[in-house]
Amino acid sequence: MNVREMQDEIMRLKKENDFCILVHAYQSHDIVEVADYVGDSYGLSLKAKEAPQKNILMCGVRFMAQVVKSLSPDKNVYLSNSMAGCPMAEQLTREDVLRFKEKYPDHAVCAYINTTSELKTVCDVIVTSSSAVEILKKYPAKKILFIPDCNLGRWVQEQLPEKEFEFYSGGCPTHTRVTAADVEKAKKEHPGAELLVHPECRWEVVKEADYVGSTTGIMAYAKKSDKKDFIIGTEQAIVQHLQFECPDKNFYLLSEELVCKNMKATTLVDVYNCLTGKIREEIVMSDELINDSLKPIEKMVELGG
């Protein structure tokens, strides 16, 4: 089969087998084209909850599939490729967090949603990149232990000077590879282009940006803007998607290092194999793990996230 034939077969199989396909925006465009929903991790989990289908296929990484399962425990949730993990989500364990809580007993533990379900069970509140500032501004605790991404945490800290932060020195390996030198080079090559970056980037990169926001925020900004030229400081797939959606505009990748090998582990063939049942990993979580990992997510929702 060629790409188009496989896509057509996937579209047929998902209807036949009652599947909803969730695709994170960092996936390649051939996978995006067979999706029921495309977006960021939390947004996709909400779509899964609303979807009428009984079976959910997450084309992303493992922690995303876990969030989907937590919010939709009555559905069958599958991960498109068993090798698709997230280095940032796996940087800290539940035990590590418990040790941090002993060190900072007067701090509330705020975890980025890019963490395992096991880790979430010992956190006070979860945030996304788009909701972090709003949630922590409303959160009653003055002292915050922000994990695991110190880059996102410091970006939040800049906007909430009334709060006191402690950080774990973790982060996204893909975004942290980008440097100020990359920014200088890109701006020199594309004078006049606006720089749009993800807050997982280093502060030296973030402070030079015209816009800082989540993946979906970056895409929305570029599509609505009257500008024609943009330097994109997040995973390379976003450049590809924007080129398709806005062919009258120009998009340039900030650095060739902005490639997430974990997202790229999933291929169109993986999606096909999952739908045929040839290779399929179901996400299985105990009721206790689901309930305990949901508590900090529910706190985020309560505060408006």
mmCIF file with all atom_site columns, all heavy atoms in Angstrom, residues 38 43 51 90 123 138 172 203 232 247 254 283:
data_model
loop_
_atom_site.group_PDB
_atom_site.id
_atom_site.type_symbol
_atom_site.label_atom_id
_atom_site.label_alt_id
_atom_site.label_comp_id
_atom_site.label_asym_id
_atom_site.label_entity_id
_atom_site.label_seq_id
_atom_site.pdbx_PDB_ins_code
_atom_site.Cartn_x
_atom_site.Cartn_y
_atom_site.Cartn_z
_atom_site.occupancy
_atom_site.B_iso_or_equiv
_atom_site.pdbx_formal_charge
_atom_site.auth_seq_id
_atom_site.auth_comp_id
_atom_site.auth_asym_id
_atom_site.auth_atom_id
_atom_site.pdbx_PDB_model_num
ATOM 1  N N   . VAL A 1 38  ? -6.903  16.549 16.788 1.00 0.00 ? 38  VAL A N   1
ATOM 2  C CA  . VAL A 1 38  ? -5.485  16.901 16.867 1.00 0.00 ? 38  VAL A CA  1
ATOM 3  C C   . VAL A 1 38  ? -5.333  17.998 17.911 1.00 0.00 ? 38  VAL A C   1
ATOM 4  O O   . VAL A 1 38  ? -6.148  18.928 17.965 1.00 0.00 ? 38  VAL A O   1
ATOM 5  C CB  . VAL A 1 38  ? -4.948  17.409 15.507 1.00 0.00 ? 38  VAL A CB  1
ATOM 6  C CG1 . VAL A 1 38  ? -3.463  17.768 15.616 1.00 0.00 ? 38  VAL A CG1 1
ATOM 7  C CG2 . VAL A 1 38  ? -5.172  16.374 14.418 1.00 0.00 ? 38  VAL A CG2 1
ATOM 8  N N   . GLY A 1 43  ? -5.945  18.635 26.050 1.00 0.00 ? 43  GLY A N   1
ATOM 9  C CA  . GLY A 1 43  ? -7.065  18.869 25.151 1.00 0.00 ? 43  GLY A CA  1
ATOM 10 C C   . GLY A 1 43  ? -7.559  17.579 24.513 1.00 0.00 ? 43  GLY A C   1
ATOM 11 O O   . GLY A 1 43  ? -8.771  17.348 24.383 1.00 0.00 ? 43  GLY A O   1
ATOM 12 N N   . ALA A 1 51  ? -15.924 11.715 23.261 1.00 0.00 ? 51  ALA A N   1
ATOM 13 C CA  . ALA A 1 51  ? -16.102 10.914 22.040 1.00 0.00 ? 51  ALA A CA  1
ATOM 14 C C   . ALA A 1 51  ? -17.071 9.753  22.263 1.00 0.00 ? 51  ALA A C   1
ATOM 15 O O   . ALA A 1 51  ? -17.051 9.119  23.322 1.00 0.00 ? 51  ALA A O   1
ATOM 16 C CB  . ALA A 1 51  ? -14.752 10.381 21.572 1.00 0.00 ? 51  ALA A CB  1
ATOM 17 N N   . GLU A 1 90  ? 9.601   10.893 32.542 1.00 0.00 ? 90  GLU A N   1
ATOM 18 C CA  . GLU A 1 90  ? 10.267  9.791  33.238 1.00 0.00 ? 90  GLU A CA  1
ATOM 19 C C   . GLU A 1 90  ? 11.480  10.245 34.040 1.00 0.00 ? 90  GLU A C   1
ATOM 20 O O   . GLU A 1 90  ? 12.203  9.426  34.601 1.00 0.00 ? 90  GLU A O   1
ATOM 21 C CB  . GLU A 1 90  ? 10.658  8.726  32.203 1.00 0.00 ? 90  GLU A CB  1
ATOM 22 C CG  . GLU A 1 90  ? 9.440   8.104  31.531 1.00 0.00 ? 90  GLU A CG  1
ATOM 23 C CD  . GLU A 1 90  ? 9.760   7.437  30.203 1.00 0.00 ? 90  GLU A CD  1
ATOM 24 O OE1 . GLU A 1 90  ? 10.956  7.356  29.866 1.00 0.00 ? 90  GLU A OE1 1
ATOM 25 O OE2 . GLU A 1 90  ? 8.814   7.007  29.517 1.00 0.00 ? 90  GLU A OE2 1
ATOM 26 N N   . CYS A 1 123 ? 1.156   14.630 44.037 1.00 0.00 ? 123 CYS A N   1
ATOM 27 C CA  . CYS A 1 123 ? 1.214   16.065 43.730 1.00 0.00 ? 123 CYS A CA  1
ATOM 28 C C   . CYS A 1 123 ? -0.077  16.757 44.172 1.00 0.00 ? 123 CYS A C   1
ATOM 29 O O   . CYS A 1 123 ? -1.111  16.109 44.326 1.00 0.00 ? 123 CYS A O   1
ATOM 30 C CB  . CYS A 1 123 ? 1.438   16.269 42.235 1.00 0.00 ? 123 CYS A CB  1
ATOM 31 S SG  . CYS A 1 123 ? 3.038   15.640 41.670 1.00 0.00 ? 123 CYS A SG  1
ATOM 32 N N   . LYS A 1 138 ? -4.141  31.522 40.930 1.00 0.00 ? 138 LYS A N   1
ATOM 33 C CA  . LYS A 1 138 ? -5.325  31.278 41.755 1.00 0.00 ? 138 LYS A CA  1
ATOM 34 C C   . LYS A 1 138 ? -5.047  30.326 42.918 1.00 0.00 ? 138 LYS A C   1
ATOM 35 O O   . LYS A 1 138 ? -5.788  30.319 43.907 1.00 0.00 ? 138 LYS A O   1
ATOM 36 C CB  . LYS A 1 138 ? -6.450  30.685 40.895 1.00 0.00 ? 138 LYS A CB  1
ATOM 37 C CG  . LYS A 1 138 ? -6.982  31.627 39.831 1.00 0.00 ? 138 LYS A CG  1
ATOM 38 C CD  . LYS A 1 138 ? -8.044  30.912 38.999 1.00 0.00 ? 138 LYS A CD  1
ATOM 39 C CE  . LYS A 1 138 ? -8.606  31.796 37.906 1.00 0.00 ? 138 LYS A CE  1
ATOM 40 N NZ  . LYS A 1 138 ? -9.589  31.059 37.073 1.00 0.00 ? 138 LYS A NZ  1
ATOM 41 N N   . CYS A 1 172 ? 12.462  19.314 29.012 1.00 0.00 ? 172 CYS A N   1
ATOM 42 C CA  . CYS A 1 172 ? 12.312  18.613 27.738 1.00 0.00 ? 172 CYS A CA  1
ATOM 43 C C   . CYS A 1 172 ? 13.653  18.597 27.007 1.00 0.00 ? 172 CYS A C   1
ATOM 44 O O   . CYS A 1 172 ? 14.186  19.658 26.672 1.00 0.00 ? 172 CYS A O   1
ATOM 45 C CB  . CYS A 1 172 ? 11.253  19.315 26.888 1.00 0.00 ? 172 CYS A CB  1
ATOM 46 S SG  . CYS A 1 172 ? 11.178  18.722 25.181 1.00 0.00 ? 172 CYS A SG  1
ATOM 47 N N   . TRP A 1 203 ? 15.407  30.024 29.169 1.00 0.00 ? 203 TRP A N   1
ATOM 48 C CA  . TRP A 1 203 ? 15.038  31.420 29.357 1.00 0.00 ? 203 TRP A CA  1
ATOM 49 C C   . TRP A 1 203 ? 15.753  32.320 28.354 1.00 0.00 ? 203 TRP A C   1
ATOM 50 O O   . TRP A 1 203 ? 15.190  33.306 27.868 1.00 0.00 ? 203 TRP A O   1
ATOM 51 C CB  . TRP A 1 203 ? 15.336  31.862 30.785 1.00 0.00 ? 203 TRP A CB  1
ATOM 52 C CG  . TRP A 1 203 ? 15.012  33.300 31.037 1.00 0.00 ? 203 TRP A CG  1
ATOM 53 C CD1 . TRP A 1 203 ? 15.872  34.317 31.330 1.00 0.00 ? 203 TRP A CD1 1
ATOM 54 C CD2 . TRP A 1 203 ? 13.711  33.897 30.986 1.00 0.00 ? 203 TRP A CD2 1
ATOM 55 N NE1 . TRP A 1 203 ? 15.202  35.500 31.471 1.00 0.00 ? 203 TRP A NE1 1
ATOM 56 C CE2 . TRP A 1 203 ? 13.855  35.278 31.264 1.00 0.00 ? 203 TRP A CE2 1
ATOM 57 C CE3 . TRP A 1 203 ? 12.429  33.400 30.733 1.00 0.00 ? 203 TRP A CE3 1
ATOM 58 C CZ2 . TRP A 1 203 ? 12.798  36.160 31.296 1.00 0.00 ? 203 TRP A CZ2 1
ATOM 59 C CZ3 . TRP A 1 203 ? 11.365  34.288 30.767 1.00 0.00 ? 203 TRP A CZ3 1
ATOM 60 C CH2 . TRP A 1 203 ? 11.540  35.638 31.043 1.00 0.00 ? 203 TRP A CH2 1
ATOM 61 N N   . ILE A 1 232 ? 9.671   29.297 14.204 1.00 0.00 ? 232 ILE A N   1
ATOM 62 C CA  . ILE A 1 232 ? 8.935   28.442 15.135 1.00 0.00 ? 232 ILE A CA  1
ATOM 63 C C   . ILE A 1 232 ? 9.893   27.724 16.078 1.00 0.00 ? 232 ILE A C   1
ATOM 64 O O   . ILE A 1 232 ? 10.728  26.921 15.657 1.00 0.00 ? 232 ILE A O   1
ATOM 65 C CB  . ILE A 1 232 ? 8.067   27.412 14.382 1.00 0.00 ? 232 ILE A CB  1
ATOM 66 C CG1 . ILE A 1 232 ? 7.114   28.123 13.410 1.00 0.00 ? 232 ILE A CG1 1
ATOM 67 C CG2 . ILE A 1 232 ? 7.291   26.552 15.372 1.00 0.00 ? 232 ILE A CG2 1
ATOM 68 C CD1 . ILE A 1 232 ? 6.136   29.072 14.063 1.00 0.00 ? 232 ILE A CD1 1
ATOM 69 N N   . PRO A 1 247 ? -0.671  28.292 3.564  1.00 0.00 ? 247 PRO A N   1
ATOM 70 C CA  . PRO A 1 247 ? 0.285   28.265 2.449  1.00 0.00 ? 247 PRO A CA  1
ATOM 71 C C   . PRO A 1 247 ? 0.732   29.643 1.975  1.00 0.00 ? 247 PRO A C   1
ATOM 72 O O   . PRO A 1 247 ? 1.727   29.755 1.249  1.00 0.00 ? 247 PRO A O   1
ATOM 73 C CB  . PRO A 1 247 ? -0.482  27.521 1.347  1.00 0.00 ? 247 PRO A CB  1
ATOM 74 C CG  . PRO A 1 247 ? -1.927  27.693 1.693  1.00 0.00 ? 247 PRO A CG  1
ATOM 75 C CD  . PRO A 1 247 ? -1.975  27.720 3.183  1.00 0.00 ? 247 PRO A CD  1
ATOM 76 N N   . LEU A 1 254 ? 13.300  27.094 14.173 1.00 0.00 ? 254 LEU A N   1
ATOM 77 C CA  . LEU A 1 254 ? 14.334  27.817 14.901 1.00 0.00 ? 254 LEU A CA  1
ATOM 78 C C   . LEU A 1 254 ? 15.661  27.073 14.913 1.00 0.00 ? 254 LEU A C   1
ATOM 79 O O   . LEU A 1 254 ? 16.727  27.674 14.791 1.00 0.00 ? 254 LEU A O   1
ATOM 80 C CB  . LEU A 1 254 ? 13.863  28.083 16.344 1.00 0.00 ? 254 LEU A CB  1
ATOM 81 C CG  . LEU A 1 254 ? 14.868  28.697 17.321 1.00 0.00 ? 254 LEU A CG  1
ATOM 82 C CD1 . LEU A 1 254 ? 15.419  30.011 16.781 1.00 0.00 ? 254 LEU A CD1 1
ATOM 83 C CD2 . LEU A 1 254 ? 14.223  28.909 18.682 1.00 0.00 ? 254 LEU A CD2 1
ATOM 84 N N   . ILE A 1 283 ? -3.584  0.421  27.561 1.00 0.00 ? 283 ILE A N   1
ATOM 85 C CA  . ILE A 1 283 ? -3.177  1.075  28.805 1.00 0.00 ? 283 ILE A CA  1
ATOM 86 C C   . ILE A 1 283 ? -4.058  0.534  29.928 1.00 0.00 ? 283 ILE A C   1
ATOM 87 O O   . ILE A 1 283 ? -5.276  0.716  29.918 1.00 0.00 ? 283 ILE A O   1
ATOM 88 C CB  . ILE A 1 283 ? -3.326  2.610  28.701 1.00 0.00 ? 283 ILE A CB  1
ATOM 89 C CG1 . ILE A 1 283 ? -2.437  3.155  27.579 1.00 0.00 ? 283 ILE A CG1 1
ATOM 90 C CG2 . ILE A 1 283 ? -2.981  3.260  30.028 1.00 0.00 ? 283 ILE A CG2 1
ATOM 91 C CD1 . ILE A 1 283 ? -0.955  2.916  27.754 1.00 0.00 ? 283 ILE A CD1 1
#
